[in-house]
Amino acid sequence: MSDCKLKVALQKSGKLSEGSFELLNKCSFKLRPSKNHYLIETKELNSSFLLIRDDDIPGFVDSEVSDIGIVGENGVFEYILDNPKHNLEVITKLGFAHCRLSIAVPQDGQIKSIQDLHGKTIATSYPASLRDFLAKHNVQAKILVMHGSVELAPKIAIADAICDLVSTGATLKENKLVELEVIFESEAVIIGNKNCSAEVKEKINELIFRLQSVIEAKDSKYIMLHIDKSQVGKLQEILPGCESPTVLYLHGSEDKVAVHVVSKEGIFWDTISKLKSIGATSILVLPIEKMMS
Ligand code: ATP
Ligand code: MG
């Protein structure tokens, strides 16, 4: 592999940063962010990590200051709407920072449908996404741009509605707001530049391979148990995502076998109860660090 540098842009601190560092560190990067540290150089894949605000990441990748970046899909969407001639591409989804961009309105107010937003003022930090949504629904409303504390806007009567990111909905509830419409579903993604060199592409592919091995392993479990031979077929019905199990002979037992399987979905207590109900014993559920297909 060539030894060109791989330049990665990450959010310095916020909802994306913890997940980004955790994922990369599981791929052996050993990133230790500290307060006034904006650049981390590492020997692993000869890479450097630029720690910046999430809003700047799509622009840095588009202008090739960084080769790739980890950002929310909603941030990419906002950037693309403002920069239609961009060269960005979403390389892969990363399975964390799930949230949605939604329009929310006061619980006891008059706004009950999208059409009711006509002539109203909507506060948001994502004006391009909101403008795009309103245009598609033929609604003329005033957009008030705020860079934070958007939920406050209806309370202090500077807006009738808001358009903001929601995950659990608890913040909306605290502010007596209710979701009217989801306009964009988002999670963390890796973005790259379509024009990157073949050398950089090779490095990106290696990084993506490592990340996907960790992501795939996250929800998978390695399960070992003892069971009656006749019940092996039933195991596949009980264990989600279980492919051909390995069946091993147990010394000194005619009827019982040991079964080893990889289950690709979460194993919960009710799954364990079902396994016990078909006579499984000595059940071990182990985490998997990496899965390479
Ligand atoms: P910065 O200082 O980097 O500009 P910020 O305040 O704009 O930070 P965050 O609140 O950290 O940004 O959100 C960054 C991204 O994380 C959002 O664009 C979105 O993709 C995702 N995100 C935001 N809120 C949540 C949430 N509650 N749960 C999960 N993901 C979220
Ligand atoms: Mg931001």
Side-chain angles (χ1 to χ4, degrees), residues 11 53-55:
Q11 187 192 29
R53 289 194 61 185
D54 72 327
D55 315 58

Side-chain angles (χ1 to χ4, degrees), residues 36-208:
N36 296 318
H37 211 164
Y38 298 95
L39 180 68
I40 305 177
E41 307 264 2
T42 136
K43 288 198 178 112
E44 198 68 37
L45 287 183
N46 189 17
S47 41
S48 68
F49 293 85
L50 206 55
L51 309 182
I52 54 181
R53 289 194 61 185
D54 72 327
D55 315 58
D56 294 331
I57 295 174
F60 271 50
V61 176
D62 197 17
S63 58
E64 295 184 83
V65 173
S66 299
D67 300 314
I68 53 172
I70 297 184
V71 70
E73 275 175 301
N74 60 294
V76 188
F77 184 58
E78 183 76 12
Y79 180 85
I80 286 174
L81 289 168
D82 276 338
N83 299 275
K85 290 189 182 149
H86 70 92
N87 285 312
L88 295 180
E89 60 178 349
V90 171
I91 301 176
T92 191
K93 297 192 181 214
L94 296 173
F96 67 91
H98 288 277
C99 60
R100 51 195 187 273
L101 185 64
S102 289
I103 295 182
V105 295
Q107 275 167 7
D108 314 317
Q110 308 296 311
I111 305 170
K112 304 285 179 211
S113 73
I114 299 166
Q115 292 311 316
D116 293 342
L117 291 168
H118 202 82
K120 299 283 194 284
T121 300
I122 310 170
T124 190
S125 309
Y126 301 93
S129 306
L130 177 58
R131 201 175 304 118
D132 178 71
F133 175 82
L134 294 173
K136 282 180 182 149
H137 288 80
N138 263 321
V139 172
Q140 265 120 45
K142 188 175 166 211
I143 297 176
L144 174 71
V145 178
M146 290 176 70
H147 298 289
S149 310
V150 173
E151 296 88 355
L152 190 65
K155 204 182 270 180
I156 57 170
I158 55 169
D160 306 288
I162 65 163
C163 170
D164 203 10
L165 294 169
V166 183
S167 58
T168 61
T171 313
L172 289 184
K173 218 170 170 182
E174 271 171 35
N175 289 282
K176 297 195 166 43
L177 297 167
V178 53
E179 257 174 298
L180 182 71
E181 184 84 13
V182 175
I183 71 176
F184 195 85
E185 301 265 6
S186 178
E187 68 180 90
V189 290
I190 292 214
I191 52 169
N193 190 303
K194 289 177 198 155
N195 299 330
C196 75
S197 69
E199 286 171 310
V200 168
K201 188 79 199 156
E202 196 185 347
K203 285 236 156 165
I204 294 173
N205 288 344
E206 173 58 28
L207 177 64
I208 300 295

Side-chain angles (χ1 to χ4, degrees), residues 208-222:
I208 300 295
F209 170 76
R210 295 186 188 188
L211 292 172
Q212 280 170 345
S213 307
V214 170
I215 293 166
E216 208 179 317
K218 204 167 71 179
D219 289 330
S220 300
K221 294 279 182 270
Y222 193 84

